[in-house]
Amino acid sequence: MPLTRRAFLLGALGAPTLSLAGSGWRRLLTLPRAEAAKVEPRGRVVLGWHTGISSAWLDPQEQPAMLTPTNFQYAVHDALIKNYHGQIAQPALAERWEMAPDFRSATFWLRPGIKFHNGDPVTPEDVKFTYENYRGAQADVFKAKTERVEIVDDRTVRFHFKAPFLDFPILFGTGASGAAWVVPAKYYQQVGPDGFKRQPIGAGPYRLVRQEPGVKLEFEAFPDYYRPVHVKQLVMVGVTEPFTRVAMLERGEADIIYLVPGELIARVRSLPGVLLAPTLAGPFWMEMPGFEDPASPFHDRRVRQAISLALNRRALSEAETAGFAPPLGNWIPHNWPGAIEWPEFPYDPQQAKQLLADAGYANGLDLDWFVPFPPYFSLGERIISQLREVGIRTKMRTMERGTFFSLLRGGPAGVSGYPAGADRLGDPRRLGGALPGVFPMRRVVFAVVRARAGRQVRALRGLGRPCRAPAPGRRHPADDSGKLLRYSRIPAGVYQRHRPTYCGAEVAGRLFY
């Protein structure tokens, strides 16, 4: 039987032991045990993060449906299985794991001698507590499909499912959820969720030694980690202003910075000893608030199509990413598990104007607000300018990312009506309780690394390794409605499809061990 796309993504990306059965992979056993070599951590690395830093990101029990928290979890926490060096669902705290042939159970064998930062051993009881009390993204799916968690012995845990759970490895072993990231049961229950966010204890390569809420995290290498850790001190600083981040790099105050806007890319490229690594992140897309309401202008498919046709995605890519992110037709990137590659969506402002006129908006359409996903404000300004060219008039509202996500938790009834997503268009008929609107563009978060002599350069080697080329995706022609436009999502994704890019989504996982 030919290797399926799912089988390829789950196992064939270099996994050394792989069994195939039926429609896909059956079991992923073990990688060679990663013994901590005799490495003495040295030096200090400062990372300039591009937003404020939320303490909620330090608690994997509450991981939202987004990848941002994993950048911090890879430093302080560890998972049974996780994405590691370009491969998904790789053994971590579990030295090996196995999915039953009928997909009704999954068994994990813990590495011997693994510890939390407070010296307590990582036990099957911690795994069981973590899974049963997890309340982040996909928690409802795990609870609905899991029958029980069995502690087999002092190093073995088995998850029993009510029915075949084929998606378990993807949902559990990737950034789709935080359920695999093990927390210390006794400590977590002792301090509670709020106390854990203030002083998290994990089993990762770094322990937190100091936190300035929202601003700075200071870590120190954990000597009992099972893999070698090269850098002794890791500091993550939230710097929201891009010019300040670049200035920190120029002055030697930061070794790595994230998110270089288009207007600063040439300046960064000219710096000696600096590597500009375009790192593919999650996608942008756009949703129309209240599109399901017949009274909303977004209810008319022609209005949604007009908005899509008004967006010059290639121009946005050139301006925001120096062309590193060519357009994609799907709001789910085609190299994500289960995704479909769609044809690129067209840019046609004249047709957009005609569609608006046909929908009854010959004189244009006024919308109350457009909220860009923080901190992509320059992208928001460019989108507003393109919409204005076809007669759609709106204004931008901005906020810090922490505020954004606090409001997001309120759902449609949240303060000012900002729920999930990235950039939002505001329906004038839904002033306070709007549903999300998100602009679609594959984010290319430029990670900039200043090369320093000796060991730190070798420790930063992860950013310089090209990622594997994705498997060819299936192509479905879009119908005249744009397919996903029916669901209010405009797949205007920008994604680097044919050029090699660089891996680097997990900060600690890719850079420091």
Side-chain angles (χ1 to χ4, degrees):
M1 172 171 286
L3 191 63
T4 65
R5 179 174 175 82
R6 169 176 285 185
F8 177 84
L9 288 166
L10 282 173
L13 288 174
T17 56
L18 177 71
S19 296
L20 297 176
S23 61
W25 68 281
R26 168 176 147 186
R27 61 179 70 176
L28 175 64
L29 292 176
T30 183
L31 292 179
R33 183 178 297 175
E35 303 290 356
K38 297 297 182 181
V39 172
E40 183 69 26
R42 297 175 57 187
R44 182 172 184 262
V45 167
V46 178
L47 185 151
W49 188 252
H50 55 292
T51 71
I53 298 173
S54 171
S55 60
W57 298 340
L58 300 175
D59 185 359
Q61 285 279 283
E62 299 180 1
Q63 179 175 319
M66 58 183 297
L67 296 177
T68 297
T70 63
N71 290 273
F72 303 88
Q73 290 167 10
Y74 271 81
V76 72
H77 296 292
D78 209 348
L80 287 177
I81 55 176
K82 64 184 180 183
N83 292 349
Y84 187 67
H85 284 194
Q87 301 177 33
I88 69 170
Q90 295 299 294
L93 292 177
E95 66 177 354
R96 64 188 180 102
W97 70 284
E98 179 179 288
M99 199 79 186
D102 61 1
F103 290 90
R104 295 182 69 100
S105 69
T107 306
F108 297 84
W109 290 266
L110 294 176
R111 297 178 187 273
I114 49 177
K115 299 178 182 178
F116 290 109
H117 299 156
N118 61 358
D120 290 346
V122 179
T123 68
E125 287 78 13
D126 297 306
V127 175
K128 179 179 171 71
F129 171 85
T130 296
Y131 188 81
E132 291 180 343
N133 291 274
Y134 177 69
R135 54 196 177 277
Q138 314 299 336
D140 56 339
V141 177
F142 291 123
K143 285 180 171 58
K145 292 183 175 292
T146 303
E147 181 180 279
R148 61 190 173 94
V149 179
E150 175 191 3
I151 297 177
V152 179
D153 57 37
D154 61 357
R155 283 180 50 204
T156 310
V157 184
R158 182 169 295 126
F159 297 80
H160 295 270
F161 308 121
K162 299 174 183 177
F165 194 178
L166 276 70
D167 291 327
F168 178 77
I170 289 289
L171 297 180
F172 188 74
T174 72
S177 80
W181 295 78
V182 182
V183 299
K186 292 180 181 178
Y187 177 75
Y188 198 97
Q189 292 174 89
Q190 175 187 339
V191 300
D194 292 339
F196 191 83
K197 293 179 183 68
R198 289 191 294 269
Q199 190 59 52
I201 288 178
Y206 289 89
R207 65 180 186 90
L208 182 68
V209 295
R210 184 169 175 267
Q211 177 179 183
E212 293 180 30
V215 178
K216 182 187 290 187
L217 300 171
E218 296 182 12
F219 301 96
E220 187 175 76
F222 179 45
D224 291 327
Y225 193 61
Y226 59 89
R227 286 191 173 108
V229 181
H230 296 275
V231 178
K232 185 174 183 179
Q233 295 177 314
L234 168 63
V235 180
M236 297 183 178
V237 185
V239 185
T240 59
E241 219 292 316
F243 286 91
T244 304
R245 290 196 300 278
V246 171
M248 289 175 65
L249 190 74
E250 292 171 331
R251 295 193 298 262
E253 297 172 1
D255 301 288
I256 306 168
I257 64 171
Y258 270 21
L259 189 59
V260 180
E263 62 269 22
L264 293 177
I265 290 175
R267 175 175 164 181
V268 169
R269 275 177 165 165
S270 68
L271 296 176
V274 165
L275 168 67
L276 183 67
T279 304
L280 293 177
F284 284 116
W285 65 90
M286 182 183 290
E287 293 183 358
M288 281 17 92
F291 81 101
E292 74 285 0
D293 183 351
S296 168
F298 301 142
H299 189 73
D300 192 317
R301 186 176 67 185
R302 293 169 295 187
V303 173
R304 303 196 301 270
Q305 288 177 314
I307 293 171
S308 179
L309 291 165
L311 299 177
N312 187 339
R313 295 142 171 94
R314 290 191 176 274
L316 292 170
S317 172
E318 289 295 331
E320 290 291 317
T321 71
F324 278 100
L328 178 73
N330 197 344
W331 63 279
I332 301 176
H334 73 271
N335 66 331
W336 284 18
I340 295 174
E341 185 174 4
W342 294 85
E344 179 182 332
F345 277 73
Y347 167 61
D348 192 336
Q350 293 305 314
Q351 186 181 356
K353 292 178 182 178
Q354 184 60 53
L355 285 169
L356 286 174
D358 294 345
Y361 300 101
N363 296 322
L365 175 63
D366 290 298
L367 301 174
D368 279 351
W369 42 258
F370 181 83
V371 183
F373 182 53
Y376 300 93
F377 305 133
S378 61
L379 174 62
E381 291 171 349
R382 291 185 170 100
I383 292 170
I384 289 173
S385 177
Q386 290 186 1
L387 293 175
R388 189 179 299 118
E389 290 294 319
V390 301
I392 299 174
R393 299 171 290 272
T394 188
K395 57 183 179 292
M396 186 167 69
R397 299 182 67 175
T398 63
M399 61 189 69
E400 291 292 326
R401 187 172 289 196
T403 303
F404 179 91
F405 283 112
S406 294
L407 295 172
L408 183 153
R409 285 194 294 269
V415 180
S416 299
Y418 299 112
D423 304 345
R424 304 172 179 12
L425 276 173
D427 179 356
R429 293 177 175 81
R430 295 175 64 89
L431 301 180
L435 291 173
V438 186
F439 175 70
M441 177 175 175
R442 184 72 186 267
R443 293 200 298 274
V444 176
V445 181
F446 289 98
V448 182
V449 180
R450 176 177 292 284
R452 292 189 173 180
R455 188 175 300 274
Q456 287 192 11
V457 174
R458 294 195 294 276
L460 298 174
R461 66 190 181 279
L463 271 180
R465 179 176 52 78
C467 293
R468 294 176 180 268
R474 294 170 291 163
R475 296 185 64 88
H476 278 212
D479 63 14
D480 62 352
S481 70
K483 290 288 188 184
L484 294 178
L485 293 181
R486 297 175 182 173
Y487 303 97
S488 85
R489 297 190 175 193
I490 291 184
V494 177
Y495 175 61
Q496 187 173 348
R497 287 164 54 183
H498 302 300
R499 307 177 198 174
T501 185
Y502 295 92
C503 299
E506 308 97 359
V507 174
R510 297 283 174 83
L511 301 182
F512 307 113
Y513 68 89

